[in-house]
């Protein structure tokens, strides 16, 4: 049975919650130029520590995904496009000033146009790609490692939450919308590869934005059922990717709690009538919250907490392994809402340190 370096062993006394200090963006203060909360993940973790749920030692810590692992979900040319302009096709041997005999290290000093476009951060162009790889993209590779590890823990214990992850605008060959790597796609591939009992996977995407990355990757894969409920009037408006959605629910700007939660309950019932998954990946973006300038919806803090509870209750009642990733939503108060939602799942006993009652432990996915 194949395994993965990213499937590290996690002590049974630890919560199935994955976090690394490497998740947060801190680049010599330049991150303050971007409107997003660059320390969202640390704030979630600190919220759970303050509540007495987590400590520095009772959660899972991911490894950084390397290129070999990323190639399971990405094309080589796309990964090269994140490195330097020549490999991205913007430069040729004739139209740049770098000597043709330059080595890889020298080429990594050129500017990062593709990364700038994906992360929507113009200041990226001020920083040589070598530093972008080390201080920016490496952060996202830790998120990928966390989502992959969450897949293993969910198969062993019933559930797992990656405090990061949810890069749902990235497909195998294209990034966008602050998403340079396809962690959702890679997690699904790895679970299907390493756990023979996983034949069918349901992706529940409740971020405010359409999950066009995983939709493109699984467009023709009948083993993947995608339920995506999103504001259809905002980014990305990817009509081609919409063909990959099994159950779409298009929302409007200004959608409130009552409308959102009623539609969610109705669609969850429909989804599980139509499909019986062996694994669920839940993309739980908080950009649906009122006040988020990118989601343009009006869901209250309590609405977000209720949303997550509804999804976990469906998984728990059926004992279907579920991974939750936190995805979009970078208002300052989003971290506390995510933390409170996790605490609510604990208080409702939908997540516990021990494996779910009557949950069958997997025999596959050996640790490396």
């Amino acid at each position: 049975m194949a395994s993965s370096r990213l499937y590290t062993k996690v002590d049974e006394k630890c919560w199935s919650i994955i976090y690394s200090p490497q998740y947060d963006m801190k680049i010599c203060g330049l991150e303050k130029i971007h409107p997003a909360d660059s320390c969202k993940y640390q704030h979630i973790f600190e919220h759970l520590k303050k509540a007495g749920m987590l400590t520095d030692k009772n959660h899972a810590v991911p490894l950084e995904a390397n290129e070999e692992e990323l190639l399971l979900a990405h094309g080589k040319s796309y990964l090269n496009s994140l490195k330097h302009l020549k490999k991205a096709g913007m430069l040729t041997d004739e139209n740049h000033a770098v000597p043709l005999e330059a080595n890889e290290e020298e080429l990594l000093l050129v500017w990062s146009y593709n990364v700038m476009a994906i992360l929507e951060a113009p200041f990226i162009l001020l920083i040589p790609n070598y530093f972008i790889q080390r201080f920016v993209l490496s952060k996202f590779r830790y998120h990928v490692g966390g989502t992959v590890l969450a897949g293993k823990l969910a198969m062993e214990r019933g559930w797992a939450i990656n405090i990061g992850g949810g890069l749902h605008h990235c497909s195998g060959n294209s990034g966008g919308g602050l998403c340079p790597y396809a962690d959702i796609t890679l997690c699904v591939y790895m679970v299907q590869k390493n756990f023979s009992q996983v034949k069918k996977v349901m992706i529940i995407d409740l971020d405010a934005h359409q999950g066009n990355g995983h939709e493109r990757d699984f467009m023709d894969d009948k083993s993947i059922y995608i339920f995506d409920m999103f504001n259809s009037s905002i980014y990305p408006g990817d009509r081609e990717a919409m063909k990959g959605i099994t159950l779409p629910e298009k929302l409007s700007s200004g959608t409130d709690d009552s409308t959102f939660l009623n539609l969610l309950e109705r669609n969850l019932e429909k989804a599980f009538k139509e499909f019986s998954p062996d694994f669920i990946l839940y993309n739980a973006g908080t950009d649906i919250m009122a006040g988020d300038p990118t989601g343009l919806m009006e869901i209250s803090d309590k609405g977000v907490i209720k949303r997550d509870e509804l999804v976990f209750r469906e998984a728990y009642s059926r004992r279907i392994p579920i991974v939750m990733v936190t995805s979009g939503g970078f208002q300052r108060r989003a971290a506390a809402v995510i933390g409170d939602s996790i605490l609510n799942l604990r208080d409702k006993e939908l997540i516990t340190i021990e494996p779910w009652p009557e949950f069958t432990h997997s025999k596959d996915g050996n640790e490396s």
Side-chain angles (χ1 to χ4, degrees):
M1 170 57 62
S3 188
S4 169
R5 182 187 65 94
L6 297 175
Y7 279 1
T8 57
K9 186 175 182 179
V10 177
D11 192 283
E12 62 182 12
K13 296 179 181 178
C14 289
W15 284 94
S16 300
I17 295 177
I18 300 93
Y19 168 72
S20 169
Q22 296 296 326
Y23 281 1
D24 293 293
M25 294 292 171
K26 299 175 183 178
I27 319 165
C28 302
L30 287 173
E31 70 280 354
K32 297 177 182 178
I33 300 173
H34 202 281
D37 178 5
S38 61
C39 293
K40 166 186 172 180
Y41 311 104
Q42 177 186 341
H43 294 154
I44 297 170
F45 180 67
E46 293 295 334
H47 189 87
L48 295 172
K49 282 182 66 177
K50 186 176 180 180
M53 182 178 183
L54 293 186
T55 68
D56 290 332
K57 296 182 179 180
N58 72 346
H59 64 92
V61 179
L63 298 177
E64 177 183 0
N66 61 31
E67 181 155 329
E68 180 181 357
E69 290 147 354
L70 292 170
L71 283 169
L72 296 173
H74 291 287
K76 181 72 172 178
S77 61
Y78 172 69
L79 294 182
N80 284 342
S81 78
L82 302 177
K83 294 181 180 178
H84 49 71
L85 303 184
K86 182 179 179 184
K87 286 191 174 182
M90 294 187 63
L91 297 185
T92 67
D93 290 345
E94 289 77 31
N95 73 351
H96 74 303
V98 180
L100 296 184
E101 63 271 17
N103 59 33
E104 180 74 7
E105 182 176 353
E106 290 170 321
L107 285 171
L108 285 172
L109 293 175
V110 298
W111 314 118
S112 312
Y113 181 84
N114 195 33
V115 180
M116 180 276 291
I118 291 170
L119 299 185
E120 303 171 5
F123 70 81
I124 291 290
L125 288 179
L126 303 174
I127 308 172
N129 188 272
Y130 171 82
F131 295 100
I132 295 302
Q133 292 293 327
R134 181 174 179 182
F135 297 108
V136 179
L137 290 178
S138 65
K139 307 288 187 179
F140 288 98
R141 293 191 289 266
Y142 274 97
H143 283 259
V144 174
T147 302
V148 170
L149 177 57
K152 168 186 180 283
L153 289 177
M155 290 303 300
E156 293 175 344
R157 306 180 183 190
W159 68 277
I161 296 173
N162 183 10
I163 284 180
L167 310 175
H168 67 155
H169 296 307
C170 188
S171 67
N173 296 306
S174 180
L178 311 183
C179 303
Y181 300 113
D183 67 319
I184 290 175
T185 296
L186 183 56
C187 178
V188 171
Y189 282 163
M190 293 292 289
V191 167
Q192 288 187 318
K193 176 181 177 181
N194 288 284
F195 297 92
S196 59
Q197 66 270 47
V198 177
K199 307 297 183 185
K200 298 188 294 182
V201 174
M202 180 181 290
I203 297 174
I204 300 174
D205 197 330
L206 302 183
D207 185 274
H209 301 83
Q210 176 197 355
N212 60 320
H214 57 77
E215 288 159 10
R216 284 182 172 271
D217 285 337
F218 297 119
M219 182 83 68
D220 300 312
D221 191 336
K222 300 303 181 183
S223 73
I224 311 297
Y225 185 106
I226 298 177
F227 163 38
D228 194 351
M229 197 158 82
F230 59 98
N231 185 346
S232 60
S233 63
I234 60 174
Y235 177 90
D238 191 335
R239 293 184 178 276
E240 181 63 25
M242 287 182 193
K243 298 176 184 178
I245 306 175
T246 317
L247 179 59
E249 184 63 67
K250 297 180 182 180
L251 305 173
S252 302
S253 296
T255 297
D256 60 13
D257 283 15
S258 177
T259 300
F260 185 92
L261 294 173
N262 285 336
L263 285 171
L264 176 57
E265 288 190 273
R266 186 187 312 165
N267 279 292
L268 285 173
E269 181 180 2
K270 178 179 173 63
F272 285 105
K273 281 185 178 179
E274 294 179 347
F275 194 78
S276 298
D278 305 306
F279 180 85
I280 298 169
L281 200 150
Y282 170 38
N283 196 50
T286 47
D287 45 15
I288 64 170
M289 288 169 52
D292 191 288
T294 68
L296 303 181
M297 293 167 65
E298 296 294 330
I299 310 304
S300 70
D301 299 2
K302 290 182 179 179
V304 171
I305 294 169
K306 182 63 175 178
R307 175 200 66 173
D308 295 347
E309 181 183 331
L310 287 172
V311 174
F312 266 78
R313 196 169 294 283
E314 291 289 344
Y316 180 84
S317 66
R318 294 172 170 82
R319 300 300 191 269
I320 302 170
I322 182 171
V323 163
M324 171 177 155
V325 289
T326 60
S327 200
F330 293 91
Q331 295 184 82
R332 289 287 172 179
R333 63 191 181 88
V337 174
I338 294 168
D340 286 342
S341 181
I342 293 172
L343 293 171
N344 178 63
L345 295 175
R346 178 201 63 180
D347 294 344
K348 297 292 175 60
E349 298 186 343
L350 294 172
I351 62 174
T352 57
I353 288 185
E354 299 81 13
W356 280 347
E358 303 175 8
F359 183 78
T360 303
H361 285 242
S362 170
K363 300 299 182 182
D364 296 331
N366 301 320
E367 294 102 8
S368 55

